[in-house]
Amino acid sequence: MGSVSRFAALCLLLGSTTATSVIALSTGAMAQEAFDGGTIRDIRVEGTQRIEGATVRSYLVVAPGDPFNPDRIDQSLKSLFATGLFADVSLRREGGTLVVNVVENPIINRISFEGNKRVKLEDLGAEVQLRPRVVYTRSRVQADVQRILEIYRRSGRFAARVEPKIIQLEQNRVDLVFEIDEGALTGVQQINFINNNVFDDGELREIMLTKESRWWRFLSSNDTYDPDRLRYDQEQIRRFYLRNGYADFKVLSSLAELTPDRENFFITMTLDEGKRYRFGNIEIKSDIPDLNPETLRTAIDARAGEWYNADLIESSITKLTNRLGDLQYAFINIDPLLQRNPETQTVDLVFEINESPRVFVERIDIVGNTQTLDKVIRREMLLAEGDAFSLSKVKRSEQRIKDLGFFAQDGGVEVKTAEGSSRDQSVVTVTVQEESTGEIQLGAGYSTNDGALLDFSIRQRNFRGKGQDVRLSTLLSSRTFEVDLSFTEPYFLERDLAAGIDVFRIVRDNRDTISYDLKSTGVSLRAGYPLSDRLRQRLTYTLAENTIENVRFGSSRFLIDQEGTTVTSAIGSDLLYDARDSRLNPTDGYYILLANEFAGIGGSVRYLRNRITAATYWGFFDDWVLSLTSEAGLLLGLGKPIRINDRFFLGGDTLRGFEPGGIGPRAFQLDSNGNVIDEEGDALGGKIFSRLSLELTLPIGLPDELGVKAHAFTDAGTLTKSGEEAEAGDLFRDSSSIRWSAGVGLSWRSPFGPIRLDLAYPIKKEEYDQDEVFRFSFGTRF
């Protein structure tokens, strides 16, 4: 009788040697003799619990009737272990019977994770491959350990450790527990460069997204080591050198070394800067008949004699492609051919245009939209079936679809063109990836105007998949309560006409600044439409009931006379020309807004309110932006007195250094002896105003990722003509003189929302104006 020992089988499982050699080592000639000679009359399987004996026999490479052969016995042993079903296997011979004794691997009853705080349980569960009711094997467990460690490495925790443990249960079942020590974030202690002679280490570090660990980066993750981010940084450095003339630049190596305590990395990049080149001869060659390449010369940004710049080559190809795309050459291919001349340190450039027929749009397909209706996407397309192909229109259409805001920001909209049924036909495919368009927002903040703020809104931006916008919003502060229900149909009557309705209720406690409370309830109808790419008009009709009450004790008769309720029925027009590079953080461009409102179509008030606002922005140096904002307004009464709530007010955000309503016509109540009762008086507002603001925004030397900016500004403005007439016993002040202030500010784009602090000093003012030196605002949404 001979056998293959369990020790031999374990060695097989660990891969330390082959089965044949184990047999030789463990049993030597005895094993050879035991399994050599004779015929296998029967195969008996022992030790099975869940697995059928027939299943075990199916993995063997021998069967009854076969001769005993050590090599085939060895192969059978390997085959059984390869199934992953068994923790141990032994084979022995009892006369003419081959006995297969197995120990089954346990079944996993439950998988749990302990010690994870930074990674969610569902994320870990989705990553591991083992599942309950699956056979437990050591190799699978180790593979899952590596998957868990990879999750932590991607989040910057290279010191993480994972130890799998099993808890034995009855019926050959086990609970599998992954005990996790997450460790600290693995930071980047230092970034070094070798062979950089042109740009110093500091300049190159500024280009990188990866940053060295510093105390002020506690709100950022850019100072943790991320291999993917480091590869991106290498590409950014390469592009930086290629933009500056170094056409032969290479990153020879990028080495990230983990410190012995596994808490930080040292990153070292070895560079080969090469020589600096200028552009030499620049040519355009075309294989397209009847196309004069010289007509495309203006699309090339690169100029002979300028420093080599790879970005200029890319932008030139884009412009050439767009120009040819607008000429119906949809599937054009432009190859930039470079010829380096090391002796003159110049690069000759040839844009080679391959032949292509004129193309028409055969079909537009829209895929990926499960909620949004096809027509909502299709109406943003500037092309239709049968139109001449235009690449610029395709790209503008893609941007218009992205601007809907219904799809994922990264890769959620992709417009591709492919050849149709013939070479002169194109199929345009719009692929979208929808995301949730429902929003619930809760906001909190503080301002010197309203004190503590709390606002709540619920919104659906793609109601019923038709692109309709439905919103309910509220604002609550110590001085204001507002609620607004709005509905917008972006394509009313199937035209590019955004029509909407607002129903609102506003209650404002103005007694601290303008000496009365205001309640307003009403409805507003609006319609907006484009007149050109940058010019847009919006028309509105507003019907509102306004009530002035709770006039502060000691107020002048001018305010007391304002108490009561009026009805406003007004139509308005806003005409906006916007040429800014960004609406949120403009650094270049300008905008002009002309707003007019006429009240008097019914109601109890009549006026014509006119306002014009213009602003321009200049960017210079690094992140330095100079802005100039000017505004003027004229309010005309049309046969009826103008109510105080319809007048203009200046101060606060509109004229820093002065309180809201702090300048302009003011009335003071006198007692019987002619003494002023309230030295602050009552702000009455005015019918004519103008203001000018000049502001410089600049960095203060802190890292850009902190989002801290400094501001220096000067504001000037005037407000006059309240329309009130003084009588005996009134103390009434009104001057059209220019008020002027200057100050500095600090803003922080914090993770909790924008924070701004301004200190302003009135340089020129009237003695009755109300100052406000300090102004602070904070707000966020979560």
Side-chain angles (χ1 to χ4, degrees):
M1 180 182 301
S3 67
V4 178
S5 70
R6 292 189 178 186
F7 173 76
L10 180 61
C11 291
L12 278 170
L13 178 63
L14 296 177
S16 59
T17 183
T18 66
T20 303
S21 61
V22 171
I23 293 172
L25 289 172
S26 58
T27 60
M30 293 177 59
Q32 181 75 16
E33 181 181 350
F35 288 110
D36 195 9
T39 301
I40 301 174
R41 294 193 301 272
D42 187 24
I43 297 176
R44 187 172 74 247
V45 179
E46 298 177 348
T48 56
Q49 298 180 24
R50 300 181 311 275
I51 303 173
E52 296 291 337
T55 302
V56 176
R57 294 187 188 94
S58 68
Y59 293 114
L60 301 175
V61 298
V62 294
D66 292 343
F68 278 100
N69 184 307
D71 291 336
R72 295 179 65 82
I73 298 295
D74 181 29
Q75 293 176 24
S76 297
L77 183 65
K78 291 180 180 179
S79 177
L80 288 171
F81 271 109
T83 64
L85 298 174
F86 310 108
D88 194 8
V89 179
S90 64
L91 304 178
R92 69 178 186 273
R93 180 175 180 177
E94 294 182 356
T97 301
L98 176 64
V99 180
V100 182
N101 189 279
V102 297
V103 177
E104 295 179 2
N105 271 322
I107 294 294
I108 297 175
N109 175 64
R110 184 171 62 93
I111 299 175
S112 60
F113 304 90
E114 295 180 357
N116 59 301
K117 297 179 181 178
R118 306 294 180 180
V119 180
K120 296 179 180 178
L121 284 173
E122 51 265 31
D123 294 336
L124 292 172
E127 189 69 22
V128 299
Q129 299 297 308
L130 287 171
R131 294 287 184 270
R133 297 182 297 279
V134 171
V135 175
Y136 169 93
T137 66
R138 180 178 299 181
S139 60
R140 290 180 179 179
V141 171
Q142 290 303 319
D144 279 346
V145 167
Q146 293 304 314
R147 292 186 181 97
I148 296 171
L149 289 173
E150 183 60 28
I151 292 178
Y152 281 97
R153 291 190 182 107
R154 290 200 299 265
S155 62
R157 295 181 181 272
F158 283 78
R161 292 179 172 84
V162 179
E163 184 177 353
K165 293 188 176 180
I166 60 172
I167 301 173
Q168 296 285 349
L169 303 174
E170 59 184 8
Q171 298 178 353
N172 199 25
R173 295 176 302 127
V174 294
D175 284 345
L176 175 60
V177 180
F178 291 99
E179 292 186 353
I180 301 172
D181 178 7
E182 295 182 319
L185 283 170
T186 313
V188 177
Q189 184 167 328
Q190 194 169 347
I191 302 173
N192 298 314
F193 297 91
I194 298 175
N195 294 338
N196 55 312
N197 301 312
V198 180
F199 302 102
D200 60 33
D201 288 11
E203 290 176 286
L204 297 179
R205 291 190 193 107
E206 283 296 318
I207 301 167
M208 298 176 63
L209 195 58
T210 303
K211 303 295 181 184
E212 294 179 338
S213 297
R214 297 293 183 268
W215 67 267
W216 62 76
R217 295 196 172 104
F218 65 96
L219 295 174
S220 171
S221 62
N222 288 346
D223 59 343
T224 59
Y225 175 70
D226 184 337
D228 293 333
R229 188 191 298 137
L230 187 59
R231 283 190 289 270
Y232 171 80
D233 288 333
Q234 292 179 50
E235 178 61 18
Q236 291 301 101
I237 292 174
R238 188 185 73 85
R239 295 182 67 89
F240 173 73
Y241 271 92
L242 294 181
R243 281 196 301 269
N244 286 276
Y246 295 90
D248 296 329
F249 173 81
K250 296 178 183 177
V251 177
L252 298 179
S253 67
S254 179
L255 180 63
E257 298 177 288
L258 189 62
T259 56
D261 58 9
R262 301 178 63 85
E263 292 184 357
N264 290 286
F265 273 92
F266 285 91
I267 296 175
T268 305
M269 288 191 190
T270 304
L271 313 179
D272 179 6
E273 295 178 322
K275 296 180 179 180
R276 194 179 190 190
Y277 290 82
R278 294 183 182 271
F279 282 117
N281 297 325
I282 301 176
E283 300 180 26
I284 304 176
K285 293 183 178 180
S286 172
D287 296 334
I288 301 175
D290 303 325
L291 176 66
N292 182 3
E294 290 306 312
T295 61
L296 304 174
R297 175 69 63 175
T298 56
I300 298 179
D301 294 328
R303 297 289 182 270
E306 293 181 349
W307 291 114
Y308 174 85
N309 187 333
D311 286 355
L312 294 181
I313 297 177
E314 289 185 13
S315 64
S316 299
I317 292 175
T318 300
K319 289 183 178 180
L320 287 170
T321 303
N322 291 340
R323 185 80 63 87
L324 292 166
D326 291 341
L327 296 174
Q328 297 180 244
Y329 297 105
F331 308 112
I332 204 72
N333 185 33
I334 301 176
D335 294 324
L337 305 180
L338 303 180
Q339 177 63 51
R340 292 175 175 82
N341 304 307
E343 62 281 355
T344 59
Q345 291 185 220
T346 59
V347 175
D348 294 336
L349 176 61
V350 177
F351 294 98
E352 191 171 75
I353 303 172
N354 298 322
E355 184 177 358
S356 174
R358 292 183 181 272
V359 176
F360 295 85
V361 177
E362 179 179 14
R363 191 175 71 251
I364 298 177
D365 295 333
I366 299 174
V367 296
N369 54 314
T370 57
Q371 177 184 351
T372 307
L373 301 181
D374 271 16
K375 69 175 185 178
V376 173
I377 301 172
R378 195 175 293 274
R379 67 196 182 193
E380 300 298 327
M381 294 294 296
L382 300 176
L383 290 170
E385 282 87 351
D387 286 354
F389 182 86
S390 171
L391 185 60
S392 62
K393 287 185 177 181
V394 169
K395 293 188 175 181
R396 285 169 56 202
S397 299
E398 182 176 1
Q399 187 60 49
R400 283 164 61 95
I401 297 171
K402 290 179 180 178
D403 289 344
L404 290 173
F406 305 157
F407 311 108
Q409 293 297 311
D410 296 327
V413 178
E414 189 174 21
V415 180
K416 290 186 176 181
T417 58
E419 189 173 302
S421 57
S422 61
R423 289 194 65 199
D424 63 347
Q425 297 292 322
S426 171
V427 175
V428 179
T429 302
V430 182
T431 304
V432 298
Q433 179 184 344
E434 292 180 316
E435 65 178 2
S436 175
T437 54
E439 298 176 0
I440 296 180
Q441 293 184 327
L442 180 66
Y446 176 85
S447 76
T448 46
N449 271 353
D450 296 313
L453 300 171
L454 180 66
D455 69 271
F456 169 80
S457 69
I458 182 169
R459 182 183 185 189
Q460 174 53 259
R461 294 181 287 108
N462 189 15
F463 186 58
R464 299 188 300 167
K466 295 183 177 182
Q468 298 166 339
D469 192 333
V470 181
R471 179 171 57 90
L472 173 66
S473 62
T474 62
L475 172 65
L476 178 65
S477 73
S478 58
R479 300 175 184 174
T480 303
F481 169 76
E482 296 182 10
V483 60
D484 184 4
L485 175 63
S486 72
F487 172 81
T488 302
E489 168 56 65
Y491 267 76
F492 186 60
L493 300 177
E494 299 302 322
R495 298 177 179 273
D496 192 0
L497 174 67
I501 182 173
D502 293 272
V503 180
F504 58 88
R505 168 71 170 173
I506 302 172
V507 179
R508 290 179 180 160
D509 178 0
N510 292 326
R511 282 175 290 172
D512 290 342
T513 56
I514 314 179
S515 309
Y516 62 86
D517 291 347
L518 172 66
K519 295 180 180 179
S520 181
T521 305
V523 60
S524 178
L525 304 175
R526 47 189 161 74
Y529 48 89
L531 299 176
S532 69
D533 283 347
R534 296 188 179 274
L535 183 63
R536 189 171 185 88
Q537 184 172 31
R538 186 178 72 164
L539 301 176
T540 60
Y541 170 74
T542 303
L543 179 64
E545 181 184 78
N546 304 300
T547 301
I548 294 177
E549 60 184 14
N550 297 331
V551 175
R552 187 175 58 185
F553 175 77
S555 296
S556 67
R557 68 171 182 84
F558 300 103
L559 280 190
I560 296 174
D561 292 344
Q562 297 288 330
E563 283 193 295
T565 300
T566 58
V567 175
T568 300
S569 176
I571 59 172
S573 169
D574 291 345
L575 194 62
L576 173 65
Y577 186 85
D578 194 343
R580 291 174 293 180
D581 60 346
S582 168
R583 292 186 178 184
L584 298 178
N585 297 297
T587 60
D588 187 55
Y590 65 93
Y591 76 88
I592 301 174
L593 173 64
L594 177 63
N596 308 100
E597 185 181 44
F598 168 71
I601 308 174
S604 54
V605 297
R606 292 175 61 88
Y607 62 79
L608 178 62
R609 190 203 315 266
N610 307 282
R611 183 196 299 259
I612 184 170
T613 307
T616 185
Y617 302 84
W618 300 275
F620 56 99
F621 300 128
D622 289 332
D623 297 327
W624 288 51
V625 179
L626 182 66
S627 64
L628 177 65
T629 303
S630 58
E631 189 174 20
L634 175 64
L635 182 60
L636 301 174
L638 302 177
K640 289 188 178 183
I642 297 177
R643 302 280 292 174
I644 190 171
N645 54 290
D646 295 323
R647 298 171 192 161
F648 298 120
F649 287 86
L650 275 187
D653 290 329
T654 55
L655 190 62
R656 288 163 290 193
F658 299 90
E659 289 184 357
I663 76 164
R666 213 165 193 87
F668 299 86
Q669 179 68 21
L670 304 178
D671 60 17
S672 57
N673 298 320
N675 297 319
V676 174
I677 296 176
D678 183 358
E679 294 184 356
E680 291 187 1
D682 300 322
L684 303 179
K687 297 188 295 182
I688 301 173
F689 88 95
S690 61
R691 71 180 186 92
L692 192 70
S693 178
L694 183 67
E695 179 166 305
L696 176 65
T697 300
L698 66 157
I700 61 174
L702 292 177
D704 291 341
E705 63 263 27
L706 290 182
V708 179
K709 300 287 186 181
H711 309 270
F713 58 83
T714 180
D715 295 345
T718 180
L719 176 68
T720 187
K721 304 297 183 184
S722 67
E724 303 287 357
E725 295 183 1
E727 297 180 359
D730 294 332
L731 180 58
F732 183 80
R733 300 290 182 88
D734 185 9
S735 172
S736 59
S737 64
I738 299 293
R739 276 70 157 190
W740 178 27
S741 67
V744 295
L746 199 64
S747 64
W748 178 31
R749 193 179 64 252
S750 78
F752 318 105
I755 296 176
R756 171 109 184 204
L757 183 149
D758 287 321
L759 297 175
Y761 177 76
I763 298 173
K764 185 178 181 182
K765 64 175 186 173
E766 297 296 325
E767 60 180 359
Y768 55 86
D769 292 337
Q770 301 299 309
D771 302 348
E772 183 184 69
V773 175
F774 171 78
R775 189 163 191 79
F776 171 80
S777 63
F778 160 69
T780 190
R781 289 187 179 275
F782 50 87

